[in-house]
Amino acid sequence: MEQKRAYKYRIYPTNEQKHILAQTFGCVRFVFNWALRQKTDAYYKEQKRIYSKDLSEMLTALKKQDEYAWLAEVSSVPLQQSLRHLDKAFINFFEGRAEYPHFKKKRNQQSATYTSNAFVWRDGKITLAKMNEPLTIRWSRPLPEGSKPSSVTVSKDGADRYFISILVEEDIEHLPPSEQNVGADLGLKSFVVLSDGEVVGNPKFFHKDEKQLAKAQRRHAKKKKGSKNRDKARKKVARLHARIADRRRDFLHKLSTRMIRENQTICVESLAVKNMVKNEKLSKAMSYVGWSEFVSQLEYKAEWYGRTLVKIDRWYPSSKRCFDCGHLLDSLTLDVREWTCPECGVHHDRDINAAKNILAAGLSVQACGEAVRPGAVKTHPGKPRRSRKPRS
Ligand SMILES: [Zn+2]
């Protein structure tokens, strides 16, 4: 089956290309923030929704004004794509998967997406609109034979590294069926706990990195504002952040690929990011940051390889319910790691019991033929909250 798949590589732009990219990133960021402001104002002041089609027309008009003429200096495609990204951010928000969209800041990762009409793909080389020469790409692995990129996203991270993510249509073969199924729960002391009792990803794994990061952050805070040393210290912090992010991503990919390979059905709890941030204990663990990324990896890998991912409603009482007899506790506070069922007397590890319940619930949902396609979990859209003022 033809599937869309992204391949990411490091790129080394020339100074001229860096200049064009910096300009483009700036315009993309501006358009995103401008459109977010339009949408937010329209919603709060007039209870109206603005759609991307309207925004697209408003953007065209904006570019014609003298004071925004600089927007016309870069390729128009990434700017239109920026409106699409905002649309997607709103869909994720309304479906309970993400927070209300934030304004983009200059310090964070920058990116620009080019659809096929805004780049040339020839002899295995990619030349972006407004550029004279192709990008220097470090091909760490080959693109699938004969594939043709449908869009590319160029990005720059906090450590000033540049990347290109190339989207191609690829024929991915389904894996042979497996007889195993698994339930996974977000652990408190570990990243994930599986229904067979396996505990994966001790946060201590990242402990050394985090200590180093905290030290670098303290150093940065002590340096005089505007000084060269402060800038140096900031870069050091950014490099550490980038390294931690790389390691986490790598860890999540290995885990999600393994779970998809070994199991036919994978059941997970769909967690609302908003609720988790409020919970201090969880927000301290690295867990919640990775969880939604992890679930989305499972989602697309399940589709590629012919597996089923079942997302259990987050209101399902997976922790408080005894797996053995179904007894439901009135409450179970976060500090309780183990408990004994008052009904049947079975002693439970909190997380393993939850993972077993998630698996059982997932399999029964599947057996009933209810919606199991990705994203089918219904959540109630919360009220959008006021966002901060744009800073850039
Ligand atoms: Zn029991």
Side-chain angles (χ1 to χ4, degrees):
M1 216 165 69
E2 291 272 300
Q3 306 274 12
K4 279 193 172 162
R5 186 167 182 172
Y7 286 81
K8 194 175 177 182
Y9 304 96
R10 183 96 185 254
I11 55 169
Y12 300 90
T14 61
N15 284 339
E16 196 203 351
Q17 289 171 334
K18 277 184 189 169
H19 179 74
I20 297 168
L21 287 175
Q23 226 182 343
T24 310
F25 292 152
C27 292
V28 164
R29 195 171 62 237
F30 173 84
V31 167
F32 185 93
N33 289 346
W34 164 81
L36 175 56
R37 166 70 39 208
Q38 303 301 319
K39 279 181 108 128
T40 305
D41 282 355
Y43 183 80
Y44 281 103
K45 290 181 182 157
E46 299 159 58
Q47 282 74 51
K48 263 190 359 202
R49 270 201 190 190
I50 308 182
Y51 295 95
S52 58
K53 191 179 140 282
D54 308 317
L55 280 168
S56 177
E57 280 168 17
M58 287 159 73
L59 176 62
T60 309
L62 191 74
K63 279 167 142 182
K64 284 180 185 145
Q65 294 176 30
D66 285 346
E67 57 178 307
Y68 296 109
W70 45 275
L71 283 172
E73 286 172 19
V74 304
S75 166
S76 62
V77 173
L79 307 187
Q80 291 294 336
Q81 290 301 309
S82 186
L83 296 179
R84 292 222 175 155
H85 291 159
L86 181 66
D87 262 4
K88 212 172 165 199
F90 268 95
I91 291 171
N92 285 339
F93 166 69
F94 282 117
E95 294 186 355
R97 287 190 297 265
E99 285 191 65
Y100 194 76
H102 291 300
F103 288 104
K104 286 193 191 295
K105 290 182 195 156
K106 201 179 172 185
R107 284 273 163 87
N108 298 346
Q109 180 184 277
Q110 308 292 310
S111 69
T113 298
Y114 297 76
T115 45
S116 61
N117 55 343
F119 67 87
V120 176
W121 165 251
R122 191 179 296 143
D123 305 328
K125 287 182 174 163
I126 291 171
T127 310
L128 300 178
K130 306 272 178 187
M131 288 187 186
N132 299 320
E133 20 174 3
L135 293 165
T136 303
I137 303 175
R138 196 179 72 199
W139 297 100
S140 43
R141 53 180 171 161
L143 279 180
E145 194 129 348
S147 60
K148 201 169 149 246
S150 59
S151 82
V152 301
T153 297
V154 179
S155 60
K156 183 184 152 202
D157 72 5
D160 290 348
R161 299 179 302 176
Y162 291 82
F163 298 92
I164 189 165
S165 177
I166 304 173
L167 199 65
V168 295
E169 293 256 319
E170 190 185 342
D171 207 8
I172 303 174
E173 263 182 54
H174 284 180
L175 289 167
S178 163
E179 282 176 10
Q180 279 190 77
N181 303 310
V182 74
D185 187 34
L186 175 66
L188 281 183
K189 290 201 169 162
S190 53
F191 176 65
V192 77
V193 176
L194 305 181
S195 50
D196 59 10
E198 190 187 338
V199 171
V200 198
N202 190 326
K204 270 190 189 145
F205 184 60
F206 301 108
H207 196 61
K208 222 175 119 194
D209 281 343
E210 266 160 10
K211 258 170 100 176
Q212 259 186 319
L213 179 65
K215 200 168 142 196
Q217 278 169 332
R218 279 197 301 275
R219 277 209 184 128
H220 172 241
K222 276 188 202 154
K223 301 282 189 243
K224 210 175 137 216
K225 275 197 180 145
S227 70
K228 263 199 175 151
N229 278 336
R230 191 179 166 94
D231 198 47
K232 254 192 188 162
R234 184 188 64 79
K235 282 193 176 136
K236 168 102 185 163
V237 170
R239 271 200 305 275
L240 284 169
H241 264 302
R243 194 172 76 193
I244 292 172
D246 285 353
R247 287 198 182 157
R248 283 184 180 167
R249 200 175 303 119
D250 190 50
F251 165 78
L252 292 178
H253 271 299
K254 280 190 180 136
L255 181 60
S256 58
T257 299
R258 196 192 100 194
M259 282 176 63
I260 291 289
R261 286 198 173 278
E262 289 174 357
N263 302 284
Q264 190 61 37
T265 301
I266 298 97
C267 310
V268 295
E269 202 167 16
S270 80
L271 297 165
V273 179
K274 264 179 291 183
N275 291 0
M276 307 214 53
V277 182
K278 274 188 215 142
N279 184 325
E280 214 197 315
K281 257 193 195 150
L282 287 177
S283 65
K284 267 185 192 157
M286 74 100 162
S287 317
Y288 83 95
V289 193
W291 188 260
S292 56
E293 172 61 25
F294 179 61
V295 172
S296 83
Q297 286 179 7
L298 287 172
E299 205 163 291
Y300 66 70
K301 287 178 187 176
E303 202 169 314
W304 288 351
Y305 295 116
R307 301 306 204 210
T308 307
L309 177 74
V310 186
K311 294 198 274 183
I312 305 301
D313 191 284
R314 62 195 158 100
W315 302 117
Y316 181 78
S318 56
S319 300
K320 291 192 292 184
R321 189 186 168 88
C322 170
F323 174 74
D324 290 81
C325 75
H327 178 76
L328 200 58
L329 295 177
D330 288 334
S331 73
L332 185 67
T333 51
L334 279 172
D335 53 308
V336 181
R337 315 288 325 136
E338 292 174 30
W339 56 282
T340 303
C341 175
E343 195 68 31
C344 70
V346 170
H347 191 69
H348 292 296
D349 170 280
R350 177 204 186 95
D351 294 333
I352 297 171
N353 177 63
K356 283 180 180 169
N357 277 324
I358 287 168
L359 173 60
L363 292 178
S364 71
V365 165
Q366 203 189 3
C368 297
E370 280 179 40
V372 288
R373 51 177 213 284
V377 178
K378 289 249 165 22
T379 48
H380 305 283
K383 263 195 178 168
R385 62 177 171 77
R386 270 267 181 216
S387 261
R388 290 184 301 265
K389 289 238 162 72
R391 282 169 115 188
S392 52

